[in-house]
Amino acid sequence: MSNATREILRSRVVKTSCHHNIASFYVARSPVRSKRLNHVPRVWMAAKHFDHSKNISTSSSISSLSSQELQTGTERSTSTPLSILPTSYLLRSLFVSSVTSKPYLLSPSLSILSFLSQPHRIALLSTDRNPVLHWIVKRLLYDQFCTGENAAEVQKVMKEMHKFGFLGVILTYAKETTFDHKSKKTEVPGSVLQQVDDAGKLQCAEIETWRAGTLQTVYMCSDGDKIALKLTGAGPTVTEAFAAGQLPSKQMLDALDEICEAARENKAQIIIDAESQHFQKGIAKTAVMLMKKYNTQKAPLVIQTYQCYLKRTRDGLAKDLAKAAQEGWSIGVKLVRGAYMSTDERSRIHDTKEDTDKAYDGIVRDLLRRDGDGFKGLGKPGNTPWPEMSVFLATHNKNTVMAAHKLNQQMVAEEGAKAVPLEFAQLHGMADSVSFSLLNAKNAQGEAPKVSKCSTWGSLGECLAYLLRRAVENREAASRTQDELDALRAEVKRRMFSFGR
């Protein structure tokens, strides 16, 4: 990519509003002059719950630490974890948590969000065309979980995150495609439009739109930030290949190469998000291909996401670890519990939340210790050695993250620079008490763990499915939501009494 092209893209980040469809922008490398695309919001179905008849574990199996040790002796700050939050942010978080922690408030809220996210709404009921509705949803919900609708809004929020002490923001462009296993329906962010560029080549406008938006995301990032890619946002031609377990078209692969090169120049890492299982086989195949091509250094440029609520995740990760070791590339492992339970095939998912917690914590423990017993003998004498790897834990479970941090400190003390690098992340607008507790858990040298916030940017209409998924996630984790609500209430009470003194 030429310097002139890069400057055009950089300037567009500052000037271009996401209120306008990115497909109408002139982008230097592949000049597609398309008509504005009609983005179709996705509808999220009611989530099928875990079987909560069994006791849900609140402890972590990562280590044998006591609950007192989980707080770690390194949390020396006398202030509360949430004391750094601005009051306006604190009060909005309290409002959202109060709603999501009460089923009689959350259920109608989910219904309203699902209704608004349906495509082809009349102007009165469209969050993008009705300014009053747009203002209400944006102020009460969008601003809590998303960074912004344009570059100016996004960069303002990202700057605040850095000031809070976070390593950075993991930024995602909102466009994606979802598949509902029950209805067998694919919700697509637009239609397949083919256009001919100036060189006479047939181009998919959906891929071009996604490429342009993702490149904007790259150039919004600064030191410490990461870019999370939802590959299904590139539209039907890509998702059809993924559903068949295949790599996408050459146009999409070229776009991914351009994005990876731009991220490397911008010193930012790429995270390939896990998505609906209907598409995941092709997504995983593409992610491995990109890791093999670009993870030539110890610190990986490309990171793959593994969903631990799926029964086969450990086996799939074991294969990727062995492949990385055999072929000589480093692997980036991002672990999540999973966010597509409402649409994924239920039989593929662990029977209870307790089973998911055990699977997640067990994988974390074995990776940090490089214990090959749980990964088909990896690293054992005569077997494939461990590859270079980094581990990234995206979870809101405080016991999990504190135990993982403690274990990582122990491994650093034993192995020094050879210890597996570890980072953490929580979603923007959620689990702030967990995030700031981690930041307060400094070691003897005063160094805090590396913690980031995951966030999404895009128009309000584009982000509705993401917002609905966050609301469903809160419903599926009622006990954690209540813990967060209690922490928020305590901080508001502390400030009120401090103000009265």
Side-chain angles (χ1 to χ4, degrees), residues 456-500:
T456 293
W457 79 279
S459 71
L460 183 51
E462 288 175 324
C463 291
L464 279 177
Y466 173 82
L467 294 173
L468 185 55
R469 194 156 67 245
R470 299 286 72 81
V472 170
E473 183 175 335
N474 274 330
R475 182 174 67 181
E476 296 304 311
S479 61
R480 190 190 67 219
T481 304
Q482 186 61 48
D483 290 341
E484 185 71 11
L485 178 60
D486 291 342
L488 291 165
R489 284 173 173 169
E491 175 59 21
V492 170
K493 184 177 180 180
R494 186 193 68 82
R495 295 190 189 189
M496 290 177 64
F497 279 107
S498 297
F499 181 77

Side-chain angles (χ1 to χ4, degrees), residues 82-83 89 126 129 155 169 230 297 305 353 450 493:
L82 298 176
S83 61
Y89 185 104
S126 169
R129 290 185 289 167
Q155 291 173 331
V169 174
K230 289 195 177 296
Q297 305 297 320
T305 302
K353 185 178 184 300
K450 294 180 178 180
K493 184 177 180 180

Side-chain angles (χ1 to χ4, degrees), residues 83-94 491-492 495:
S83 61
I84 193 172
L85 290 177
T87 300
S88 59
Y89 185 104
L90 181 68
L91 294 176
R92 187 178 64 229
S93 296
L94 179 61
E491 175 59 21
V492 170
R495 295 190 189 189

Side-chain angles (χ1 to χ4, degrees), residues 41-114:
R42 282 76 58 196
V43 181
W44 274 87
M45 309 297 289
K48 185 172 182 179
H49 294 271
F50 280 110
D51 178 4
H52 289 287
S53 60
K54 299 181 181 180
N55 291 329
I56 295 176
S57 172
T58 57
S59 63
S60 171
S61 62
I62 294 175
S63 69
S64 58
L65 301 173
S66 68
S67 59
Q68 193 171 25
E69 289 175 311
L70 284 176
Q71 298 301 319
T72 80
T74 56
E75 287 188 74
R76 301 186 180 90
S77 175
T78 56
S79 60
T80 66
L82 298 176
S83 61
I84 193 172
L85 290 177
T87 300
S88 59
Y89 185 104
L90 181 68
L91 294 176
R92 187 178 64 229
S93 296
L94 179 61
F95 169 79
V96 172
S97 295
S98 297
V99 171
T100 57
S101 64
K102 294 178 174 58
Y104 63 86
L105 294 177
L106 181 57
S107 294
S109 299
L110 286 173
S111 298
I112 292 171
L113 267 180
S114 181

Side-chain angles (χ1 to χ4, degrees), residues 15-47:
K15 297 177 182 178
T16 302
S17 168
C18 186
H19 288 293
H20 301 289
N21 195 290
I22 299 173
S24 64
F25 300 161
Y26 173 82
V27 182
R29 183 182 177 190
S30 300
V32 176
R33 297 169 178 86
S34 65
K35 294 181 180 180
R36 192 166 295 177
L37 299 177
N38 293 319
H39 175 68
V40 181
R42 282 76 58 196
V43 181
W44 274 87
M45 309 297 289

